[in-house]
CSV table of all heavy atoms in Angstrom, one decimal:
chain,number,residue,atom,x,y,z
A,212,PRO,N,102.1,107.9,81.5
A,212,PRO,CA,102.7,106.7,81.1
A,212,PRO,C,102.2,105.4,82.0
A,212,PRO,O,102.4,104.2,81.6
A,212,PRO,CB,104.1,106.8,81.5
A,212,PRO,CG,104.5,108.3,81.5
A,212,PRO,CD,103.1,108.9,82.0
A,213,PHE,N,101.5,105.7,83.0
A,213,PHE,CA,101.0,104.6,83.9
A,213,PHE,C,99.5,104.4,84.0
A,213,PHE,O,99.1,103.7,84.7
A,213,PHE,CB,101.6,104.9,85.4
A,213,PHE,CG,103.1,105.1,85.4
A,213,PHE,CD1,103.6,106.4,85.7
A,213,PHE,CD2,103.9,104.0,85.3
A,213,PHE,CE1,105.0,106.5,85.8
A,213,PHE,CE2,105.3,104.2,85.3
A,213,PHE,CZ,105.8,105.4,85.5
A,214,GLU,N,98.9,105.2,83.2
A,214,GLU,CA,97.4,105.0,83.1
A,214,GLU,C,97.1,103.4,82.7
A,214,GLU,O,97.8,102.9,81.8
A,214,GLU,CB,96.7,106.0,82.1
A,214,GLU,CG,96.8,107.3,82.7
A,214,GLU,CD,96.0,107.5,84.0
A,214,GLU,OE1,95.3,106.7,84.3
A,214,GLU,OE2,96.4,108.5,84.6
A,215,GLY,N,95.8,103.0,83.2
A,215,GLY,CA,95.6,101.7,83.0
A,215,GLY,C,95.9,100.8,84.3
A,215,GLY,O,95.9,101.2,85.4
A,216,PRO,N,96.3,99.4,84.0
A,216,PRO,CA,96.5,98.6,85.1
A,216,PRO,C,97.6,99.0,86.3
A,216,PRO,O,97.3,98.7,87.4
A,216,PRO,CB,96.9,97.3,84.5
A,216,PRO,CG,96.3,97.3,83.1
A,216,PRO,CD,96.4,98.8,82.7
A,217,ASP,N,98.5,99.8,85.8
A,217,ASP,CA,99.5,100.2,86.7
A,217,ASP,C,98.9,101.0,87.8
A,217,ASP,O,99.4,101.0,89.0
A,217,ASP,CB,100.6,101.1,86.0
A,217,ASP,CG,101.5,100.3,85.2
A,217,ASP,OD1,101.6,99.0,85.3
A,217,ASP,OD2,102.3,100.9,84.4
A,218,SER,N,98.0,101.9,87.5
A,218,SER,CA,97.6,102.9,88.5
A,218,SER,C,96.0,102.9,88.8
A,218,SER,O,95.6,103.8,89.6
A,218,SER,CB,98.0,104.4,88.2
A,218,SER,OG,97.4,104.6,86.9
A,219,ALA,N,95.3,102.0,88.2
A,219,ALA,CA,93.9,102.0,88.3
A,219,ALA,C,93.3,101.9,89.8
A,219,ALA,O,92.3,102.4,90.0
A,219,ALA,CB,93.2,100.9,87.4
A,220,ASP,N,94.1,101.4,90.5
A,220,ASP,CA,93.7,101.1,92.0
A,220,ASP,C,94.1,102.2,92.8
A,220,ASP,O,93.9,102.1,94.1
A,220,ASP,CB,94.2,99.8,92.6
A,220,ASP,CG,95.7,99.7,92.6
A,220,ASP,OD1,96.3,100.5,91.8
A,220,ASP,OD2,96.2,98.8,93.4
A,221,LEU,N,94.7,103.3,92.4
A,221,LEU,CA,95.1,104.5,93.2
A,221,LEU,C,94.1,105.5,93.1
A,221,LEU,O,93.8,106.0,92.0
A,221,LEU,CB,96.5,105.0,92.7
A,221,LEU,CG,97.6,104.0,92.8
A,221,LEU,CD1,99.0,104.7,92.3
A,221,LEU,CD2,98.0,103.5,94.2
A,222,ASP,N,93.6,105.9,94.3
A,222,ASP,CA,92.5,106.9,94.3
A,222,ASP,C,93.2,108.3,94.2
A,222,ASP,O,94.4,108.3,94.3
A,222,ASP,CB,91.6,106.8,95.5
A,222,ASP,CG,92.4,106.9,96.8
A,222,ASP,OD1,93.4,107.4,96.9
A,222,ASP,OD2,91.7,106.3,97.8
A,223,GLU,N,92.4,109.3,94.1
A,223,GLU,CA,93.0,110.7,93.9
A,223,GLU,C,93.8,111.1,95.1
A,223,GLU,O,94.9,111.7,95.0
A,223,GLU,CB,92.0,111.6,93.5
A,223,GLU,CG,91.5,111.6,92.2
A,223,GLU,CD,92.5,111.8,91.2
A,223,GLU,OE1,93.4,112.6,91.3
A,223,GLU,OE2,92.6,111.0,90.2
A,224,PRO,N,93.4,110.9,96.4
A,224,PRO,CA,94.3,111.2,97.5
A,224,PRO,C,95.6,110.6,97.4
A,224,PRO,O,96.7,111.1,97.8
A,224,PRO,CB,93.4,110.9,98.8
A,224,PRO,CG,92.0,111.0,98.3
A,224,PRO,CD,92.1,110.5,96.8
A,225,THR,N,95.6,109.3,97.1
A,225,THR,CA,96.9,108.5,97.1
A,225,THR,C,97.8,109.0,96.0
A,225,THR,O,98.9,109.1,96.2
A,225,THR,CB,96.5,107.0,96.9
A,225,THR,OG1,95.7,106.6,97.9
A,225,THR,CG2,97.9,106.3,96.9
A,226,ARG,N,97.1,109.3,94.9
A,226,ARG,CA,98.0,109.9,93.7
A,226,ARG,C,98.5,111.2,94.1
A,226,ARG,O,99.8,111.5,93.9
A,226,ARG,CB,97.1,110.1,92.4
A,226,ARG,CG,96.6,108.8,91.8
A,226,ARG,CD,95.9,109.1,90.6
A,226,ARG,NE,95.4,107.9,89.9
A,226,ARG,CZ,95.5,107.6,88.5
A,226,ARG,NH1,96.0,108.6,87.8
A,226,ARG,NH2,95.0,106.5,88.1
A,227,ARG,N,97.9,112.1,94.9
A,227,ARG,CA,98.4,113.4,95.3
A,227,ARG,C,99.4,113.1,96.3
A,227,ARG,O,100.5,113.9,96.2
A,227,ARG,CB,97.3,114.2,95.8
A,227,ARG,CG,96.3,114.8,94.7
A,227,ARG,CD,95.5,115.9,95.3
A,227,ARG,NE,94.5,115.4,96.3
A,227,ARG,CZ,93.3,115.0,96.1
A,227,ARG,NH1,92.8,114.9,94.8
A,227,ARG,NH2,92.6,114.7,97.0
A,228,ARG,N,99.3,112.2,97.2
A,228,ARG,CA,100.4,111.9,98.1
A,228,ARG,C,101.6,111.4,97.5
A,228,ARG,O,102.7,111.8,97.8
A,228,ARG,CB,99.8,110.9,99.1
A,228,ARG,CG,100.8,110.4,100.2
A,228,ARG,CD,100.1,109.8,101.4
A,228,ARG,NE,99.3,108.6,101.1
A,228,ARG,CZ,99.8,107.4,101.2
A,228,ARG,NH1,100.9,107.1,101.7
A,228,ARG,NH2,99.0,106.4,100.8
A,229,PHE,N,101.5,110.6,96.5
A,229,PHE,CA,102.6,110.1,95.8
A,229,PHE,C,103.3,111.1,95.0
A,229,PHE,O,104.6,111.3,95.1
A,229,PHE,CB,102.1,109.0,94.6
A,229,PHE,CG,103.3,108.4,93.9
A,229,PHE,CD1,103.6,107.0,94.1
A,229,PHE,CD2,103.9,109.0,92.8
A,229,PHE,CE1,104.6,106.4,93.3
A,229,PHE,CE2,104.9,108.4,92.1
A,229,PHE,CZ,105.1,107.1,92.4
A,230,GLU,N,102.5,112.0,94.4
A,230,GLU,CA,103.1,113.2,93.6
A,230,GLU,C,104.0,114.1,94.6
A,230,GLU,O,105.0,114.6,94.2
A,230,GLU,CB,102.2,114.0,92.9
A,230,GLU,CG,101.4,113.1,91.8
A,230,GLU,CD,100.1,113.8,91.3
A,230,GLU,OE1,99.8,114.9,91.8
A,230,GLU,OE2,99.5,113.2,90.5
A,231,ALA,N,103.3,114.3,95.8
A,231,ALA,CA,104.1,115.2,96.7
A,231,ALA,C,105.3,114.5,97.2
A,231,ALA,O,106.3,115.4,97.6
A,231,ALA,CB,103.1,115.5,97.9
A,232,ALA,N,105.4,113.2,97.3
A,232,ALA,CA,106.7,112.6,97.8
A,232,ALA,C,107.6,112.4,96.7
A,232,ALA,O,108.8,112.2,97.0
A,232,ALA,CB,106.2,111.4,98.5
A,233,ALA,N,107.2,112.3,95.5
A,233,ALA,CA,108.1,111.9,94.4
A,233,ALA,C,109.3,112.9,94.2
A,233,ALA,O,109.0,114.1,94.3
A,233,ALA,CB,107.3,111.8,93.1
A,234,MET,N,110.5,112.4,94.1
A,234,MET,CA,111.6,113.2,93.8
A,234,MET,C,112.4,112.8,92.6
A,234,MET,O,112.4,111.6,92.2
A,234,MET,CB,112.4,113.2,95.1
A,234,MET,CG,113.1,111.8,95.4
A,234,MET,SD,113.5,111.6,97.1
A,234,MET,CE,111.9,111.4,97.8
A,235,PRO,N,113.0,113.6,91.9
A,235,PRO,CA,113.9,113.2,90.7
A,235,PRO,C,114.8,112.2,91.1
A,235,PRO,O,115.5,112.4,92.1
A,235,PRO,CB,114.5,114.5,90.3
A,235,PRO,CG,113.6,115.6,90.8
A,235,PRO,CD,113.1,115.1,92.1
A,236,VAL,N,115.1,111.2,90.2
A,236,VAL,CA,116.2,110.2,90.4
A,236,VAL,C,117.5,110.9,89.8
A,236,VAL,O,117.4,111.3,88.6
A,236,VAL,CB,115.8,109.0,89.8
A,236,VAL,CG1,116.9,107.9,89.9
A,236,VAL,CG2,114.5,108.4,90.4
A,237,PRO,N,118.5,110.9,90.5
A,237,PRO,CA,119.8,111.4,89.9
A,237,PRO,C,120.1,110.7,88.5
A,237,PRO,O,120.0,109.5,88.4
A,237,PRO,CB,120.8,111.1,91.0
A,237,PRO,CG,120.0,111.1,92.2
A,237,PRO,CD,118.8,110.5,91.9
A,238,GLU,N,120.6,111.5,87.6
A,238,GLU,CA,120.9,111.0,86.3
A,238,GLU,C,121.9,109.8,86.4
A,238,GLU,O,121.8,108.9,85.7
A,238,GLU,CB,121.4,112.2,85.5
A,238,GLU,CG,121.8,111.7,84.1
A,238,GLU,CD,122.3,112.9,83.2
A,238,GLU,OE1,122.5,114.0,83.8
A,238,GLU,OE2,122.6,112.6,82.0
Side-chain angles (χ1 to χ4, degrees):
F213 305 108
E214 288 302 337
D217 282 351
S218 62
D220 62 341
L221 300 180
D222 59 22
E223 283 305 314
T225 302
R226 290 185 183 218
R227 289 194 294 271
R228 179 161 58 97
F229 184 107
E230 292 165 5
M234 64 204 73
V236 177
E238 180 176 6

